[in-house]
Amino acid sequence: MPSLYSLEEMQRQREALAIDWQRPTWHFLPPSCWMNDPNGLLQWGDQYHLFYQHYPFKAVHRDMHWGHAVSEDLIHWRDLPVPLAPVPGSYDESGVFTGCAVDNDGVPTVIYTATSGPGSQVQVQALATGSGEDLVRWERHPANPVLTEAPAISGQQRDFRDPFVWREEDGWYMVLGCRIEGNGGMIPLYRSPDLVDWEYLGPMITGDVDRHGRMWECPNFFPLGDKWVLYFSSIHDDRENTVYWMAGDFDGRRFHPETDGVLDYAYYYAPLCIEDSQGRRLMWGWLREGRSISEQVRADWSGVQAIPRVLSLDSQQRLVMEPVAEMAGIRGAHTQLGAQDVDGEHALDCGSLALELRASFAPQGQVGVKLAQAPDGSYGAAIHWDAATQELTVTRQDESLFNDSEPCTAPHELAAGETLDLLVLLDGSVLEVIANGRTSITSRIYPPDANCTGLALTGAGARLNALDVWQMQPTWP
Ligand code: FRU
């Protein structure tokens, strides 16, 4: 196995890759090579720690390690050494998979899935504890692995992963990603006095394969307002993998959802959340790549984390997401437009590949925002909402690069009197679109050169109430 990179080498890699305009400048991404799920989020002292699924030697998903970075403001991050790497011949020889972190009475502790065997087919749960300045030293627990058998009703051991742990008065609780063989997803519930001995309490919820997919990965379960929320990342056989949320009541053993929805309609996957000291429920999510594996290897980087989102439930018990307010700290030049009709195309001279755009429109006509436009019109992405269909669509023009070339369309119905409120975050190849806080289409675009910065409003019978655009300042070298 190659030796792990030093912090100096990570910095050098970041600088070398900075010439790539498709590479985000103000979202978190690894120094180079591969990243997928956020892992082990932890607020420790006045720092937020982000761990992530990482292969540090090539931009491919292989022998998973954890990566580690730290931040004071959730926006500027500093790389730290790889905290956990697979140990040959051990229970995590094939990969240190996804997990979470808790404060175990002053001991920072991560609970993760350790995998062994070909194809990571043996999945068990393990603990490690952190120490040192910036929590850079991680030691595996002597009792590892602490949970080895998937529940009998699951009928399989291969898909038993991604522990999510929280504390109640009567002990630690844990949910895991799992499925029932020949059926759909299943979330087993466990309890422990010490994170080491786990008692199985039964399936907290089981899924319907046609509706919510074959396997549920990365479940998160937490109180929000006066309800409980579950979200999970679902593997489908017949369509793209999707993150779903559900909100309802928890009786201590079983979860009874009352409302549910799609958390994101495009590239956002495997989110993980924590509650921070301000009482905010903060969610990170991995933005997959839309380009081919060979393109990812050629670029030498893969995977981005979305800007952390604060979660809440609205009056109709729907999940609402708002990127953290700390993002305002890197806003640069600001452009504003007041109320006006939009018919045809209205070019704005504040375009760039690093911007935040907030726009409010009357709920009428056809509303559009074009961005990342090439000067000669040969490239661009567009966001579109149509009052007649009540649908939100993101289209991209560079389909040759994509695994999925279809425009992405999501139902987005407005209630009587509600305005269309669009939030758009553009950062190189990242396009986060959230409408009215509740409809999220997080897409990837790959502008062919750095001049694809054109920005325009488009409309047919549309009326803008207000628009703000900020240039976002880079957080990386
Ligand atoms: C989700 C996932 C997890 C697993 C990890 C492996 O993207 O498949 O279920 O723990 O990635 O990298």
Side-chain angles (χ1 to χ4, degrees):
M1 202 177 274
S3 66
L4 290 169
Y5 296 123
S6 65
L7 293 180
E8 292 71 33
E9 177 58 17
M10 291 180 188
Q11 177 71 11
R12 202 200 57 73
Q13 291 171 352
R14 284 201 185 275
E15 284 164 14
L17 292 177
I19 53 159
D20 180 352
W21 62 89
Q22 296 179 345
R23 196 166 146 92
T25 59
W26 56 281
H27 279 68
F28 180 81
L29 74 179
S32 68
C33 302
W34 176 271
M35 173 175 72
N36 55 300
D37 313 356
N39 290 158
L41 304 167
L42 186 66
Q43 191 181 18
W44 202 257
D46 51 11
Q47 293 184 319
Y48 292 92
H49 290 261
L50 164 66
F51 299 88
Y52 55 91
Q53 288 286 279
H54 187 36
Y55 183 62
F57 308 115
K58 197 175 178 181
V60 292
H61 185 274
R62 187 178 290 170
D63 302 343
M64 283 294 118
H65 295 52
W66 277 26
H68 185 189
V70 72
S71 172
E72 260 129 53
D73 65 0
L74 299 166
I75 300 295
H76 296 84
W77 295 91
R78 182 160 54 85
D79 293 313
L80 292 171
V82 162
L84 293 168
V87 174
S90 83
Y91 49 87
D92 60 20
E93 63 174 5
S94 316
V96 182
F97 272 19
T98 284
C100 65
V102 295
D103 175 354
N104 185 13
D105 296 327
V107 182
T109 303
V110 300
I111 306 103
Y112 65 93
T113 296
T115 73
S116 55
S120 298
Q121 59 184 312
V122 182
Q123 306 193 345
V124 298
Q125 319 313 322
L127 304 175
T129 53
S131 61
E133 194 180 338
D134 288 334
L135 303 183
V136 292
R137 265 199 307 283
W138 288 87
E139 277 172 56
R140 285 162 173 79
H141 196 282
N144 276 351
V146 295
L147 180 62
T148 54
E149 293 289 314
I153 69 155
S154 88
Q156 53 83 42
Q157 181 72 29
R158 194 199 177 101
D159 290 319
F160 181 51
R161 59 176 177 271
D162 311 333
F164 182 86
V165 174
W166 73 99
R167 194 173 218 168
E168 297 282 343
E169 272 171 16
D170 60 348
W172 295 100
Y173 280 69
M174 171 167 71
V175 286
L176 282 154
C178 198
R179 65 183 171 88
I180 296 177
E181 180 76 46
N183 223 312
M186 189 268 282
I187 305 286
L189 180 69
Y190 293 83
R191 186 176 53 188
S192 168
D194 54 8
L195 298 172
V196 174
D197 287 316
W198 291 99
E199 173 197 1
Y200 177 52
L201 300 178
M204 192 180 81
I205 182 169
T206 51
D208 166 355
V209 63
D210 294 329
R211 182 135 189 258
H212 285 125
R214 172 170 62 80
M215 161 65 191
W216 294 357
E217 311 181 285
C218 306
N220 286 202
F221 188 58
F222 50 92
L224 197 61
D226 55 6
K227 292 291 169 184
W228 282 77
V229 169
L230 170 73
Y231 62 70
F232 53 84
S233 297
S234 176
I235 299 179
H236 284 283
D237 291 326
D238 55 350
R239 61 200 130 118
E240 279 294 320
N241 295 347
T242 307
V243 185
Y244 299 100
W245 62 266
M246 300 174 171
D249 291 323
F250 178 48
D251 65 15
R253 289 291 180 279
R254 286 195 65 93
F255 175 51
H256 307 279
E258 297 157 349
T259 50
D260 63 69
V262 173
L263 192 141
D264 184 87
Y265 286 87
Y267 287 80
Y268 195 100
Y269 199 67
L272 179 66
C273 67
I274 50 166
E275 187 179 30
D276 81 349
S277 57
Q278 298 174 37
R280 297 183 293 183
R281 182 55 65 171
L282 300 177
M283 177 181 74
W284 277 250
W286 165 41
L287 308 185
R288 297 176 295 196
E289 297 294 326
R291 52 190 171 172
S292 67
I293 291 172
S294 59
E295 278 295 315
Q296 296 172 46
V297 170
R298 189 197 52 76
D300 198 26
W301 62 275
S302 175
V304 181
Q305 297 296 330
I307 296 298
R309 300 178 180 181
V310 181
L311 301 182
S312 58
L313 292 174
D314 69 10
S315 59
Q316 291 178 52
Q317 214 173 288
R318 295 175 296 197
L319 190 67
V320 171
M321 300 169 261
E322 171 67 28
V324 290
E326 283 88 335
M327 196 174 64
I330 55 164
R331 284 176 179 163
H334 182 197
T335 304
Q336 274 183 305
L337 279 188
Q340 54 192 273
D341 293 332
V342 187
D343 272 298
E345 188 161 327
H346 177 120
L348 302 169
D349 62 5
C350 54
S352 91
L353 279 176
L355 55 82
E356 172 187 354
L357 179 150
R358 289 178 188 261
S360 177
F361 295 90
Q364 66 188 52
Q366 295 186 24
V367 176
V369 178
K370 283 185 164 181
L371 25 79
Q373 301 290 311
D376 65 358
S378 61
Y379 178 81
I383 301 157
H384 185 84
W385 181 80
D386 190 335
T389 58
Q390 304 274 309
E391 282 177 342
L392 182 72
T393 301
V394 172
T395 51
R396 303 159 305 177
Q397 221 166 293
D398 53 350
E399 312 304 9
S400 62
L401 264 176
F402 282 96
N403 306 329
D404 62 326
S405 52
E406 299 293 305
C408 177
T409 294
H412 185 63
E413 249 175 77
L414 296 178
E418 197 179 15
T419 53
L420 173 70
D421 296 331
L422 285 182
L423 167 61
V424 179
L425 306 180
L426 176 63
D427 189 4
S429 53
V430 167
L431 177 59
E432 298 194 50
V433 179
I434 306 177
N436 296 78
R438 64 175 182 268
T439 303
S440 171
I441 299 182
T442 310
S443 191
R444 300 301 304 274
I445 61 172
Y446 297 95
D449 64 59
N451 295 322
C452 296
T453 55
L455 180 67
L457 295 182
T458 61
R463 177 143 184 97
L464 175 73
N465 295 330
L467 170 87
D468 287 278
V469 180
W470 292 271
Q471 307 294 312
M472 299 305 264
Q473 292 159 6
T475 57
W476 296 113

